[in-house]
Each structure stands twice: as C-alpha cells, then as structure tokens.
Amino acid sequence: MFAYKTLKSGTDIRGVASEGGGAPINLTDEVVERIAAGFLVWCEKHLDKCAEGLKIAVGHDSRISADRIAAALFRAFTTYGASVYDCGLASTPSMFMAVLELPCDCSVQITASHHPFFRNGLKFFTPAGGLDSPDISEILEYAQNGAAPKETDNGTLVPVDYMSKYADNLREMIRKGVNAEDYAHPLAGFKIVVDAGNGAGGFYANDVLKPLGADITGSQFLEPDGRFPNHIPNPENEEAMASVCAATVKAGADLGVIFDTDVDRGGAVDSRGEEINRNRLVAIASAIALEGNPGGTIVTDSITSDGLKTYIEQTLGGKHHRFKRGYKNVINEAVRLNNEGVNCPLAIETSGHAALRENYFLDDGAYLVTKIIIKAAQLRREGKSLDSLIADLKEAKEEKELRFPITAEDFRPYGESTIAALESYAKAHNWNIAPDNREGIRISFPENDGDGWFLLRMSVHDPILPLNIESNSVGGVRVLAEKLLKFFDEVKPENVDYAALKGFLEK
C-alpha cells in the first residue's frame, strides 16, 4: 500500500506529478482526491464547519501537471458538497489573501515551489495562515485511512479572477507609499526588469508595474511555461541570478526583480547588475521593517553573516535573532516573540522568504519587492539609491557551502552526535562558540586565524549535514575548512561522509 506520509515535505505536500524525471508518478488523481477528502475532514475538525457548504479557493502555479491536479481537487471537493472557487494561475501568497478577501473558509495552492517541472504539490491556508507540519501529518493520515466526509450532490465550482484584485492591492500600496505628484503613476521614469522564470510571477510586470508608469522593457520569461525552459525560477539559483543581473544591465534598468515559481520568494538586482540577495536582501528588508519600529527584533535563519548582525544592531539600532533554517521555523519564531510582547516586525530567511508582521506574517515575494520599490522611489526623491541604505553593511570576502551526507538509515541521531562532538572539540581547543545560535553549532575565529565563522547543522528534512563557511579575508575560508578537517580526521564521526570537505581543500 502506498505510504502517504512520504509525500510530506515540512509544511507542504510534494510528489512526482509528471513524467520526465525518471521516477514513477505518485501524485496520482486517486492520491490527490484522497488528500482532498482528508483535508475536508481536517477542516471539519479544526474549522468546526461541515464539508458541505465549505468555501474553498484553489489556485496553481505554471507546472504542466497543474490542470490535472486541479481537476482532481475539484472532483473531490464538490463530491462532498463544498463550494469551490477556481482561481486559475495564481501566486501562493494570493491564495492566503483570497481566504480573507473573497472571502472563503480555506484555500489550496498547487505548487512545488522551485522544484523540477515534473514535481508538484499542495499548500493549504485558513484565515490563521498556512497549515503547519502537524496539520500536514494529520491530513496525510486521514488520506492513508481513506477518511472522508459524507458525500452529497450540492457542491459547486465557480471561476474567480482573484489575481486582478491582488494586483490592484499592490498597485494601491505603491501609490500610497510613494505618494508622488502624479499619484496615479508613481513609477513614471523608473525602469524595472522583471524575471518571472516562466512561473506565476509575470503578472507583476504587466499588472502592477506597467499601469503605474514603470518602463518594463527588458523583462523576461513572463509567460507561464511549466517546463521552465530558460532557467530554474529560484532567487537562490546562480544561473537564475546571473540571468536577471545580465538582463538588468542590458536594459539599463534602475532595478531588476526575480521571483520563484509561486512568488512566495523574491530577490532584486541594482542598476549595476549587483545582486540584492541573501544578506543584502535581509539588510534592506530589515531597514524597511525597522522604520517605525525602533529597537525592533529581526528574526533570520542561522546562516546570516556577522556583518549583517552588526548592521542590524549597530547601524539600524535593532536586535538580531538568529533562528533555525526553514521559512516556517523563522516565521513561527517571530510570531512567538510577538505573542510574548517582543516588537518583531520581520521574519526573513536568506533564501528570499520574507514575512512582515504588517502583512499577516505571510511570506510573499511580491509584497517584499513592492516594499523595496517603494523605498527606491522614496530614496530617489532624496537623490539617493538603494545602495545608500546598506552602505554600512560589511560583506564577507569569501563564502562556501558544503554538504555532508549521513549514510545511516536513522540519520538524525548520527548528525546530532557529530554536532555534539564538534562542540566538545571546540571547547577543548578554546574556539569561540556563538552564544546566540539556535541551530547546530556556529564557531567564530579572529582576524589572524581565518577571520570568519563556520556553521555545521542538520538539514531541515534530508540526511545531510550542511556546512556554511564565511570569511572577511581572502584565503580565510580555506583556513577555516582546514580546522574543520582536522576535527573530522581526528574524531572520524560514524556514518558521515565528509569527502566534499577533502575535495574542496584538494582544489
């Protein structure tokens, strides 16, 4: 019997939905319909509403399997009496906003984010936000057991164009934020390149920026194409970032922006073709979020730089709270802090997931980019550029990420024991262990001894120990890597393959 729990990926459901990836399709119509029934059972329990009459919005990104999966959801939901709003091509964040604005009881987005074209998945939203990991486990358990509400013939399916309303909200946000003399065209004179990577983000160029007067000449890959023929739609992907950087320079644009497939992440490029990504993106988002929130706390993932911490705390006067990798981990931590009375306006991961308190702590790439564009327009009135906002951000000279597979079937205990062994080793050698790290172990070294840090942690989902190294000096990454290799060679942790570290140093 098929194990539904294998489809769980953190707070999402993901599987193989199309041929072409060399793996059998496991996100079949039957599987999708059983998951849909399981979701309705979850809704009856947690929303305290009967499946019959439940209002559900459904959207999808541009993947080639989207129509098939949507049809399976429609069949299942209407079989049990739900009223379904077919939102068609949509961004993931818009499907949360649809719950609030249509309004409806819940929503489903069909997406697998930046994963290959042959994969797809499901994300679920209620007015409280995206479902969390335990919720996904519960839904999959219902699906495994064939749990379903009572069947009825009262279900309905209605097409709804919510993306037009979502784009209108973003346009009005820019008009108010810029407050230009020509209120209707606050981006007149701006040239902005948009790279949608053939995902769901093409609307941002044509439906948000262009009507506000922006010149979008040079924008690329706006048309949805579920095979992603030009590059992976992912702001973390080197090829994707190189492509949007080149397009921005070629067009002579003031700014470039890039989205992942379902637009819950975004990145930017300045007029010189320099990436506003990772630590730079976190810095700019922090500067924007701390306006009106003096002394506020910014929650980030664990691999942010020392220079970013200095920038947030000394330049901006805020507090930097490093937490675990995983966008939902970062968001949940920010929500927890706010509930405890801590002023925390932003949760952001270096991957480009950014969630602002003012926007329901929703990770929305279009919302983040919109905030950046508003700030760019405000700064231009003062004769400044976005660069001026992060002039005091000290950036690393070198950085490297390596990944060490854990070969044991029960991998987590081996990974955790390796991290514990490194902590003991560090203490024995008087290494400086970061006191504010909340994931794995982060160790810093002085200017004459590597001038940087490394972080060894467990992957969020996979049997892997990722290693991040960063140095403020040329050659420093190698010095730090050599220190770590001595640890591995002496301790020889069982079932951890650190050949990548040896290979890096041999080069």
Side-chain angles (χ1 to χ4, degrees):
M1 181 182 247
F2 176 65
Y4 278 75
K5 66 181 181 180
T6 61
L7 296 173
K8 182 181 177 183
S9 177
T11 57
D12 300 353
I13 288 171
R14 287 180 184 160
V16 179
S18 305
E19 295 180 351
I25 294 173
N26 58 12
L27 210 57
T28 64
D29 287 6
E30 179 187 358
V31 166
V32 172
E33 289 177 26
R34 286 177 66 133
I35 292 171
F39 176 55
L40 292 178
V41 174
W42 183 94
C43 288
E44 289 189 328
K45 178 180 177 182
H46 295 276
L47 301 183
D48 197 26
K49 293 184 178 182
C50 291
E52 185 176 1
L54 203 67
K55 297 177 181 179
I56 308 175
V58 177
H60 61 79
D61 68 20
S62 62
R63 292 167 190 279
I64 60 175
S65 55
D67 289 341
R68 176 183 68 80
I69 293 175
L73 289 175
F74 298 157
R75 283 194 301 272
F77 289 152
T78 55
T79 293
Y80 301 110
S83 299
V84 183
Y85 301 135
D86 176 9
C87 296
L89 184 69
S91 71
T92 291
S94 76
M95 283 300 92
F96 168 70
M97 296 305 299
V99 174
L100 304 181
E101 292 195 335
L102 281 178
C104 53
D105 300 298
C106 52
S107 65
V108 185
Q109 172 73 352
I110 303 166
T111 182
S113 187
H114 61 281
H115 286 256
F117 77 91
F118 55 85
R119 293 181 65 80
N120 214 330
L122 304 170
K123 293 179 71 76
F124 304 92
F125 296 96
T126 72
L131 266 58
D132 220 326
S133 179
D135 303 310
I136 300 303
S137 296
E138 185 178 342
I139 290 168
L140 291 174
E141 185 176 351
Y142 291 143
Q144 186 76 59
N145 297 331
K150 180 182 176 182
E151 290 191 20
T152 174
D153 59 359
N154 295 329
T156 59
L157 176 63
V158 180
V160 173
D161 177 20
Y162 176 70
M163 281 301 291
S164 292
K165 169 61 175 170
Y166 178 77
D168 182 56
N169 291 345
L170 293 174
R171 289 197 303 272
E172 187 57 24
M173 181 178 161
I174 293 173
R175 291 190 193 102
K176 288 181 178 178
V178 177
N179 196 24
E181 190 171 327
D182 182 357
Y183 187 80
H185 304 98
L187 299 182
F190 263 102
K191 191 167 190 177
I192 304 174
V193 163
V194 176
D195 184 332
N198 301 114
F203 80 95
Y204 195 80
N206 293 310
D207 299 339
V208 178
L209 299 182
K210 191 174 181 180
L212 297 179
D215 180 352
I216 60 169
T217 306
S219 293
Q220 59 184 16
F221 317 138
L222 303 182
E223 291 300 316
D225 185 333
R227 289 189 179 273
F228 313 126
N230 294 291
H231 62 66
I232 297 171
N234 181 4
E236 281 194 295
N237 179 265
E238 288 185 14
E239 180 187 359
M241 288 308 299
S243 181
V244 69
C245 287
T248 302
V249 171
K250 182 179 179 180
D254 300 294
L255 188 70
V257 298
I258 182 171
F259 299 114
D260 72 344
T261 319
D262 61 327
V263 204
D264 62 358
R265 288 187 295 141
V269 180
D270 67 22
S271 59
R272 300 168 301 170
E274 296 290 327
E275 295 182 16
I276 301 174
N277 213 7
R278 297 178 65 82
N279 287 296
R280 299 183 88 214
L281 184 68
V282 176
I284 284 181
S286 298
I288 293 170
L290 287 173
E291 291 178 355
N293 290 289
T297 295
I298 306 297
V299 177
T300 74
D301 58 332
S302 59
I303 67 170
T304 48
S305 69
D306 289 342
L308 178 67
K309 186 174 189 67
T310 300
Y311 174 77
I312 290 173
E313 297 190 345
Q314 296 185 14
T315 301
L316 300 180
K319 295 183 178 70
H320 182 204
H321 185 93
R322 285 197 192 101
F323 200 61
K324 301 173 183 177
R325 287 282 281 175
Y327 74 93
K328 194 65 172 175
N329 290 330
V330 173
I331 291 172
N332 287 346
E333 180 70 355
V335 171
R336 182 188 71 79
L337 289 171
N338 275 283
N339 288 340
E340 292 181 356
V342 177
N343 177 14
C344 178
L346 173 67
I348 183 167
E349 197 181 35
T350 47
S351 65
H353 281 286
L356 286 131
R357 182 178 57 202
E358 68 184 50
N359 191 41
Y360 307 96
F361 275 121
L362 174 66
D363 52 319
D364 185 343
Y367 193 93
L368 173 66
V369 162
T370 296
K371 295 287 287 187
I372 291 173
I373 288 171
I374 291 170
K375 175 51 65 175
Q378 293 171 343
L379 288 169
R380 189 169 74 163
R381 270 205 298 257
E382 302 170 14
K384 300 177 182 177
S385 66
L386 278 174
D387 285 351
S388 66
L389 206 61
I390 54 173
D392 293 335
L393 174 66
K394 184 178 179 181
E395 300 189 69
K397 291 284 196 308
E398 296 180 340
E399 58 183 60
K400 184 68 179 178
E401 179 172 289
L402 300 170
R403 298 168 76 80
F404 307 145
I406 303 171
T407 55
E409 185 174 349
D410 188 12
F411 62 87
R412 195 160 294 278
Y414 288 99
E416 290 172 350
S417 66
T418 301
I419 291 169
L422 178 56
E423 182 174 3
S424 297
Y425 187 91
K427 289 176 179 176
H429 288 75
N430 294 317
W431 289 353
N432 182 26
I433 299 172
D436 65 336
N437 202 61
R438 297 170 179 88
E439 179 177 42
I441 180 167
R442 182 179 178 124
I443 303 171
S444 299
F445 296 88
E447 187 173 348
N448 61 351
D449 193 23
D451 196 13
W453 56 270
F454 61 68
L455 169 69
L456 188 70
R457 61 184 177 86
M458 280 294 304
S459 169
V460 177
H461 306 299
D462 302 319
I464 289 171
L465 281 168
L467 170 71
N468 292 87
I469 313 177
E470 188 176 285
S471 176
N472 299 312
S473 301
V474 174
V477 163
R478 182 177 185 84
V479 172
L480 299 179
E482 287 172 344
K483 291 178 181 294
L484 197 59
L485 181 61
K486 287 181 181 178
F487 157 75
F488 277 111
D489 284 343
E490 288 182 28
V491 176
K492 292 183 172 56
E494 190 176 4
N495 295 307
V496 175
D497 178 4
Y498 58 97
L501 184 59
K502 294 179 180 178
F504 168 68
L505 288 170
E506 287 170 0
K507 290 180 183 179

